[in-house]
Amino acid sequence: MDANLTPINAQRAVDVASRSPMTRLALMPARAKMMLGLGAAGLVAVAVALLLWSQSANLAPLYPNRMPSAEAAPVLDQLRQMGVSPKVLDDGVIMVPAGQVAELRMKLSQAGLPKSSPTGFALMDNARFGQSQLQERTQLQRALGDEIATSISKLAAVESARVLLALPAQNGFYREQQKPSASVVVTLRPGHTLDRQQIAAIVHLVSRSVPDLAPTSVAVVDQNGTPLSGTQDNSQQALDSQQLQYVQQVENTYLKRVLDILEPAVGRDNLRATVTAEIDFTQQESTSEAYKPNQTGEATLRSQRSSEQTNAGSATPTGVPGAASNQPPTPATAPMAGASAPLQAAQAGTAGGGSRKENVVNYEVDKTVSVKRNASGIIKRLNAAVLVNHRSTTDPKGKVTTKELSPEEMEKLTSLVQESIGFSKTRGDSVKVVSIPFRADPAPKVEEIPLWKQPWFVDLVRAAAVPLALVGVALMLVLAVVRPALRQAELPDADDAKALDAVVDDTQKLPEPEPVVAIEAPKDSRHLTEARHLAKNNPAAVANIMREWVNGEAA
């Protein structure tokens, strides 16, 4: 009977393996079918979640800046028509697959998207017929403001700008004309600021873009409401900040000189120094005129004028009237000695004549005009303080001792410091070099950051948390739901149990079991091992053998 016995479970395994999947699914119990359905649905949900996560992880902004709603709506419609599923963030940025950004931009550009409203002087291209003068002036004002804002946005620190211009209407009366003004609101990039020169450049740009606009009539404000340009008081404050920066630059220059000259002698770790500078920013301007006295030598001739005037009188007859007096005048001769003088002919005389001479000479007067302007930023006083550590020595036993520097060494160090800063006693400079032992503070203990707190590890966990969690959920569904359901499909059903009872046909009532007697285990356990192996591999045959044994004892 043992040789002709066919194992029932082995035969069932062959029958189950020969069935089709649909047949095996149909023969499964209802509970197993429910578990298998739930497991399959969970696995599909996990796969869909992984797919969606992979798509969202590879998204990139279509355009870096936020688009207005009027421009974003046509773009979204066009993307959906092209088969792309865009994602709109809370701030209005459109996200698309990272690998298609360039291609989608070119396709949208070919379709004429995004359609931005005209700005700048492009507003003048769509001028309508029948516009009033006020509309034309307003449109021109908007165009000019947009052009200036676009120019300001080109700065590296400015993200966007808005310019508001106030251009009053001009009339024919010059004294009653109002001057234009402008307001500029700039939105700075994160971590950027505008220095004084950049603010002045913005004011200069706006004032030169609008006729008759004075730089003082331009106000610049950032996105936080902080005024960046103002009146003369702000200029004075900016000048004070420049003065402070100049003082710090001078102090750092002298400090570097001190450190460079002393570090080779005492070491970088054994030296501390500071330099304080008093700078005079007072500006003085004086003008003087000096006149020299007249020179005794040859002077510089400036101008000379000479004039001579002679007035001749009228001629009057003289001498004895008669024929003798009408003769031409003859030269006078001296009378003969001892004789009486003969009659002289009549001479023509003059009456009322005169002459005048005038000579005016002008010389240059020596004059010296001097203008003196003292330089700004003159050093009034320098103060230098140097701290030197004690000299450390190590004995043969390894013991470290410190010793103060000698007065000769301190004097040499003081001289070096004075020469390095250009010490001036008349200016009131002071230099102090002191030798004090430095306090040896224990080195700060650097706590090693654990692996799970490392930035790269945190980023890795954040990136892999979602896929790992989904994979874990899938494994749990497979091990806890799908696998038990498939195992239940291989168990014998009720019909197989009935068939087994029919084959066995055991209707006899078994006797009462006898008390179990402890039997000593055989020393050689080979037969016991083989019996266990046979019972494990062919339980049906072992069950039949045991049933025969029981029936034989009963007979």
Side-chain angles (χ1 to χ4, degrees):
M1 185 176 182
D2 295 341
N4 298 328
L5 183 62
T6 303
I8 298 177
N9 287 345
Q11 183 64 31
R12 170 164 175 78
V14 173
D15 295 341
V16 171
S18 61
R19 296 173 182 175
S20 62
M22 298 303 299
T23 305
R24 295 175 60 183
L25 182 62
L27 296 176
M28 289 177 60
R31 185 172 179 273
K33 292 180 180 179
M34 184 180 298
M35 294 177 60
L36 185 61
L38 292 177
L43 291 177
V44 172
V46 170
V48 172
L50 280 174
L51 180 61
L52 295 178
W53 178 85
S54 62
Q55 291 180 355
S56 62
N58 295 327
L59 294 180
L62 180 61
Y63 295 102
N65 298 329
R66 179 182 179 275
M67 298 178 59
S69 301
E71 300 178 8
V75 172
L76 292 176
D77 295 339
Q78 185 67 23
L79 290 175
R80 293 188 180 96
Q81 293 178 6
M82 291 188 297
V84 180
S85 299
K87 181 179 180 182
V88 182
L89 301 181
D90 296 337
D91 55 355
V93 178
I94 301 176
M95 305 295 291
V96 296
Q100 303 179 5
V101 173
E103 181 182 359
L104 292 177
R105 286 182 181 178
M106 289 187 290
K107 291 182 178 180
L108 291 175
S109 178
Q110 185 178 3
L113 296 175
K115 294 181 179 180
S116 58
S117 57
T119 58
F121 289 114
L123 294 172
M124 310 301 294
D125 297 338
N126 300 326
R128 294 176 298 176
F129 180 76
Q131 286 184 347
S132 63
Q133 185 178 3
L134 177 60
Q135 292 176 342
E136 292 180 354
R137 186 169 63 251
T138 304
Q139 193 170 4
L140 177 61
Q141 183 175 341
R142 286 182 52 195
L144 184 58
D146 292 341
E147 291 292 338
I148 298 175
T150 304
S151 302
I152 297 176
S153 301
K154 299 299 182 180
L155 297 178
V158 179
E159 182 176 356
S160 62
R162 180 178 176 84
V163 179
L164 303 177
L165 300 177
L167 304 178
Q170 305 297 335
N171 50 28
F173 300 96
Y174 180 78
R175 296 182 179 179
E176 297 180 0
Q177 290 181 357
Q178 298 179 1
K179 297 298 182 180
S181 60
S183 299
V184 182
V185 181
V186 293
T187 302
L188 303 179
R189 300 184 184 275
H192 291 74
T193 57
L194 293 176
D195 56 11
R196 192 171 64 89
Q197 294 181 353
Q198 292 175 330
I199 297 172
I202 294 176
V203 174
H204 184 77
L205 173 65
V206 177
S207 63
R208 290 296 182 271
S209 301
V210 181
D212 298 332
L213 178 59
T216 56
S217 300
V218 179
V220 182
V221 184
D222 62 0
Q223 71 272 21
N224 299 322
T226 304
L228 303 180
S229 64
T231 58
Q232 183 67 22
D233 296 337
N234 293 333
S235 301
Q236 186 66 28
Q237 292 177 1
L239 183 61
D240 294 340
S241 63
Q242 285 188 348
Q243 293 177 357
L244 180 60
Q245 184 179 3
Y246 177 74
V247 172
Q248 293 176 353
Q249 183 179 359
V250 171
E251 292 177 350
N252 293 334
T253 301
Y254 285 104
L255 178 61
K256 186 177 182 301
R257 293 181 182 179
V258 174
L259 295 178
D260 291 344
I261 198 65
L262 295 184
E263 280 181 359
V266 299
R268 180 187 298 271
D269 298 335
N270 298 325
L271 178 64
R272 299 291 184 272
T274 180
V275 177
T276 304
E278 296 181 8
I279 308 297
D280 185 12
F281 292 99
T282 304
Q283 294 183 354
Q284 296 181 356
E285 183 177 353
S286 61
T287 304
S288 62
E289 296 183 1
Y291 295 89
K292 293 183 179 180
N294 295 331
Q295 299 179 356
T296 56
E298 182 178 359
T300 303
L301 181 63
R302 180 180 182 182
S303 62
Q304 182 178 3
R305 183 174 63 88
S306 61
S307 62
E308 183 177 356
Q309 182 178 3
T310 303
N311 295 327
S314 59
T316 56
T318 58
V320 180
S325 59
N326 291 331
Q327 298 297 323
T330 56
T333 57
M336 298 178 60
S340 59
L343 294 174
Q344 297 292 333
Q347 299 291 333
T350 60
S355 63
R356 179 184 178 186
K357 291 182 179 181
E358 181 180 357
N359 188 15
V360 179
V361 180
N362 295 325
Y363 296 95
E364 288 287 354
V365 179
D366 291 338
K367 176 183 177 182
T368 303
V369 179
S370 61
V371 179
K372 295 182 179 180
R373 180 180 298 174
N374 294 336
S376 178
I378 301 176
I379 299 177
K380 295 177 59 177
R381 185 178 179 183
L382 288 176
N383 299 324
V386 181
L387 182 61
V388 183
N389 190 15
H390 284 186
R391 180 180 290 107
S392 300
T393 57
T394 305
D395 55 7
K397 297 182 179 181
K399 184 179 181 181
V400 180
T401 58
T402 59
K403 182 180 179 182
E404 185 179 0
L405 274 68
S406 62
E408 292 79 7
E409 293 177 338
M410 297 296 296
E411 185 177 356
K412 292 180 180 179
L413 295 179
T414 303
S415 301
L416 290 175
V417 175
Q418 291 178 353
E419 293 297 330
S420 62
I421 67 173
F423 180 81
S424 177
K425 189 174 182 180
T426 57
R427 194 171 54 188
D429 297 346
S430 64
V431 174
K432 190 69 175 179
V433 181
V434 181
S435 178
I436 298 178
F438 288 2
R439 180 180 177 182
D441 294 334
K445 185 178 179 180
V446 180
E447 297 182 0
E448 186 177 356
I449 301 177
L451 178 62
W452 59 87
K453 292 184 179 180
Q454 295 286 345
W456 64 269
F457 185 79
V458 173
D459 296 340
L460 180 62
V461 170
R462 289 178 179 176
V466 175
L468 290 179
L470 294 176
V471 171
V473 172
L475 291 177
M476 290 178 60
L477 291 174
V478 171
L479 297 177
V481 179
V482 178
R483 186 178 179 184
L486 295 178
R487 282 187 174 181
Q488 289 184 7
E490 299 178 358
L491 295 178
D493 51 12
D495 298 335
D496 294 336
K498 293 179 180 179
L500 180 61
D501 293 339
V503 172
V504 174
D505 194 15
D506 188 4
T507 58
Q508 299 180 1
K509 184 179 180 181
L510 297 177
E512 295 294 335
E514 296 180 358
V516 180
V517 180
I519 302 176
E520 183 180 359
K523 295 182 179 179
D524 188 5
S525 61
R526 182 172 58 85
H527 299 289
L528 181 60
T529 303
E530 292 178 356
R532 290 176 178 175
H533 183 69
L534 179 61
K536 182 177 180 181
N537 295 336
N538 199 348
V542 175
N544 293 333
I545 294 173
M546 295 298 295
R547 188 175 291 106
E548 290 179 358
W549 288 353
V550 173
N551 293 335
E553 292 177 358

